[in-house]
Amino acid sequence: MTTLYGFGSNGGGQLGLGHLEDSNTPQPCIGLPDDECIKKVVGGGNHSAVLTTSGRLFLAGSSQLGSRQQKQWEKNGGSTQYDWTVYNEPYPQHTWQDVACGWAFTILVNDSGNVFGIGSSAFGELGVVSKLDMTELCAIGPDCLVDISSVVCGWRHCLALTRTGTVYGWGWGKHGQLSGQRHQDSVIFSPFVLDVPEPMAQVACGHLHSLFLGARTNRVYGCGGNKNGQVGSRLGVANITTPTLCIDDGRTLAGDGDRSMAAWQLTTGWHHTALLSDEGRLVMWGKNDHGQLQDGLQHVTKVVCGSEHGLAQLDTGKVVAWGWNEHGNCTTDDDKVLAPVAVLPPALHTDNITLIGAGCATSWIGLSTK
């Protein structure tokens, strides 16, 4: 069983704490069952999603409803069918296997490998030609998005990965984040297969860029906005429109392909990227104006990037945080956390931490209560 704690920005009640105030101390989240194990927590603009190992989905925060609905929710003082300052289970009729949050939308994958969405559709995020927010679940690409194993979201674009390593994309692609595909309005409404160099084991989305981890070679490829080098070291190129091998200081970031992929983790913030090798070494590149990059951090077992900060669990069980901290998402009073700091208050113990999560200036840790 998992007890979830949230801290950081609490706009729209996205931390699930029962109120709208930010917190720089981990606080217990409300509305989650005490008899479930949590396997994933992710955050969007002002909302978050929790997925349990049994396939139950819980949502908190107002921006999942879409930008217009969020404004209406706030205007009405939060009075809707649900109280979004705590976690709710709005779709119990499904069994879910993955979830991802964009700025004002949520993408879901059920146990049959079908994809659904809710929230903003202004930039093709939900695979439909509509400027209206979707307040009910809608199927995305039902004719092509089948056998999907995972989904990720950027600010306004989405990637879906099949069990065989094929990558689909849709949404806003102006900066090449959808592998160079462009619409006259830079919006791709219909999911399509991205032209990537090999089958992929993992995919990740930043604000305006996309990353791909090769299943055969362990190599990391990237495309999209590169103003801060978040796609690679080609700092003179603002947008990279074709998936390109990521290089940092002359090194191939994902090694030579001789090791197992099981322990590798690829994660992105808005303008930075992180790769955790199977040896527990963290490699990071991109924007570093708030201490987002902790390149070379050792003995890491888990890592997640928030918008401009990061969390990592070390092999000692301790969780550390770094980066932009204006809302307390790194648990200190400093606006910038330039070196990793421990995030747990003394009352909580590190030996039973099973989960870490991050979003837009938001952070979560999950503790086993067995």
Side-chain angles (χ1 to χ4, degrees), residues 255-335:
D256 56 12
D258 291 337
R259 299 190 181 98
S260 168
M261 294 300 303
W264 292 69
Q265 297 175 43
L266 180 66
T267 179
T268 55
W270 274 1
H271 309 291
H272 65 289
T273 305
L275 177 72
L276 177 61
S277 77
D278 59 349
E279 298 174 327
R281 181 175 67 91
L282 194 60
V283 179
M284 303 189 71
W285 62 100
K287 193 173 184 179
N288 195 34
D289 59 337
H290 292 88
Q292 297 97 314
L293 305 187
Q294 296 298 321
D295 188 43
L297 185 65
Q298 303 280 346
H299 309 294
V300 178
T301 59
K302 298 186 181 88
V303 62
V304 290
C305 287
S307 51
E308 301 288 1
H309 74 292
L311 297 178
Q313 186 171 17
L314 309 182
D315 57 10
T316 60
K318 180 172 70 173
V319 172
V320 295
W322 63 88
W324 186 54
N325 185 51
E326 182 178 352
H327 296 277
N329 40 293
C330 296
T331 70
T332 78
D333 295 325
D334 301 322
D335 285 346

Side-chain angles (χ1 to χ4, degrees), residues 124-342:
E125 301 99 316
L126 304 185
V128 295
V129 182
S130 173
K131 294 295 184 181
L132 299 176
D133 294 334
M134 298 296 176
T135 58
E136 300 292 336
L137 276 184
C138 65
I140 300 176
D143 296 330
C144 62
L145 295 182
V146 296
D147 200 30
I148 300 299
S149 61
S150 62
V151 287
V152 291
C153 299
W155 184 36
R156 290 168 170 166
H157 74 287
C158 309
L159 299 178
L161 182 67
T162 72
R163 291 182 176 87
T164 57
T166 300
V167 183
Y168 287 85
W170 66 94
W172 196 40
K174 180 179 180 180
H175 297 270
Q177 59 265 47
L178 294 176
S179 187
Q181 297 293 323
R182 294 177 64 95
H183 185 272
Q184 62 179 355
D185 297 320
S186 301
V187 175
I188 312 298
F189 292 102
S190 299
F192 68 100
V193 176
L194 271 63
D195 184 13
V196 292
E198 61 176 295
M200 296 297 160
Q202 294 180 42
V203 292
C205 288
H207 188 249
L208 300 172
H209 72 293
S210 302
L211 276 294
F212 316 90
L213 181 59
R216 295 172 179 166
T217 66
N218 293 8
R219 291 177 175 172
V220 175
Y221 306 88
C223 60
N226 189 50
K227 181 179 179 180
N228 301 106
Q230 59 266 44
V231 171
S233 62
R234 296 165 58 189
L235 294 177
V237 181
N239 297 319
I240 296 177
T241 59
T242 301
T244 303
L245 188 65
C246 294
I247 301 295
D248 179 64
D249 296 333
R251 294 172 294 161
T252 300
L253 292 173
D256 56 12
D258 291 337
R259 299 190 181 98
S260 168
M261 294 300 303
W264 292 69
Q265 297 175 43
L266 180 66
T267 179
T268 55
W270 274 1
H271 309 291
H272 65 289
T273 305
L275 177 72
L276 177 61
S277 77
D278 59 349
E279 298 174 327
R281 181 175 67 91
L282 194 60
V283 179
M284 303 189 71
W285 62 100
K287 193 173 184 179
N288 195 34
D289 59 337
H290 292 88
Q292 297 97 314
L293 305 187
Q294 296 298 321
D295 188 43
L297 185 65
Q298 303 280 346
H299 309 294
V300 178
T301 59
K302 298 186 181 88
V303 62
V304 290
C305 287
S307 51
E308 301 288 1
H309 74 292
L311 297 178
Q313 186 171 17
L314 309 182
D315 57 10
T316 60
K318 180 172 70 173
V319 172
V320 295
W322 63 88
W324 186 54
N325 185 51
E326 182 178 352
H327 296 277
N329 40 293
C330 296
T331 70
T332 78
D333 295 325
D334 301 322
D335 285 346
K336 299 180 182 180
V337 177
L338 301 180
V341 296

Side-chain angles (χ1 to χ4, degrees), residues 67-102:
S67 301
R68 296 177 183 84
Q69 295 297 324
Q70 178 186 359
K71 292 177 181 178
Q72 188 63 42
W73 184 85
E74 294 169 348
K75 182 179 179 180
N76 293 339
S79 58
T80 62
Q81 179 182 358
Y82 300 103
D83 175 9
W84 292 116
T85 65
V86 300
Y87 282 101
N88 292 269
E89 186 179 13
Y91 314 116
Q93 69 272 29
H94 289 273
T95 300
W96 302 106
Q97 66 168 315
D98 200 21
V99 60
C101 294

Side-chain angles (χ1 to χ4, degrees), residues 16-62:
L17 305 181
H19 56 74
L20 298 172
E21 300 299 319
D22 292 357
S23 174
N24 67 357
T25 303
Q27 301 292 327
C29 299
I30 302 171
L32 299 170
D34 57 10
D35 59 349
E36 290 275 354
C37 293
I38 297 172
K39 74 174 186 178
K40 186 176 186 179
V41 55
V42 290
N46 274 318
H47 71 290
S48 63
V50 170
L51 183 64
T52 72
T53 55
S54 68
R56 296 175 69 183
L57 175 80
F58 297 85
L59 299 174
S62 57

